[in-house]
Amino acid sequence: VQLAESGGGLVQPGGSLRLSCSASESILSIAVLGWFRQAPGKERELVATITKNGEIKYEDSAKGRFTISRDSAKNMVYLQMLSLKPDDTAVYYCHAEYHNDYGAPLAVYWGQGTQVTVST
């Protein structure tokens, strides 16, 4: 699967953005879809994930501010981000993970990333 992110940009603190991730094929068979981010000089970290069964997980700083969702009909995954802070500045990556019938990861795919900058 190929993943393409969009929706990043420059926003002031307290502002909002919605990131979109378009998948090149059906997302119905993807076990885990998610968003990760990588700030300069830091490791890539999980922001939010949603499983095929609809289970959602958020990184602590994202709880209450970010919402992950998906549209299976459009093969899209979204990340709505509210109350953005300068610490949210990073490149945000879309992530897709396929599992086998036993739940073990088979393959992981990444998009090329979209820059989010929160600054005055």
Side-chain angles (χ1 to χ4, degrees), residues 52-63:
K52 186 165 55 174
N53 298 325
E55 297 172 0
I56 292 175
K57 180 188 299 184
Y58 294 103
E59 184 263 338
D60 285 346
S61 71
K63 291 177 181 176

Side-chain angles (χ1 to χ4, degrees), residues 4-118:
E5 304 95 336
S6 62
L10 173 64
V11 63
Q12 293 187 344
S16 62
L17 282 174
R18 189 175 85 150
L19 304 183
S20 300
C21 173
S22 175
S24 61
E25 54 191 66
S26 174
I27 64 173
L28 292 175
S29 60
I30 298 176
V32 181
L33 287 159
W35 291 93
F36 286 67
R37 67 187 179 187
Q38 187 166 19
K42 295 187 178 180
E43 294 185 355
R44 192 172 298 189
E45 64 176 5
L46 178 148
V47 177
T49 57
I50 182 168
T51 70
K52 186 165 55 174
N53 298 325
E55 297 172 0
I56 292 175
K57 180 188 299 184
Y58 294 103
E59 184 263 338
D60 285 346
S61 71
K63 291 177 181 176
R65 299 189 301 127
F66 294 1
T67 302
I68 187 171
S69 62
R70 65 184 180 196
D71 186 333
S72 298
K74 297 181 179 179
N75 296 326
M76 298 287 293
V77 183
Y78 305 100
L79 185 69
Q80 178 69 54
M81 303 187 292
L82 305 176
S83 302
L84 283 161
K85 307 173 183 179
D87 284 349
D88 295 318
T89 296
V91 178
Y92 283 70
Y93 296 92
C94 186
H95 166 95
E97 192 171 310
Y98 290 86
H99 291 178
N100 63 17
D101 291 342
Y102 303 98
L106 281 176
V108 176
Y109 296 89
W110 297 93
Q112 70 268 50
T114 185
Q115 176 71 47
V116 171
T117 302
V118 185

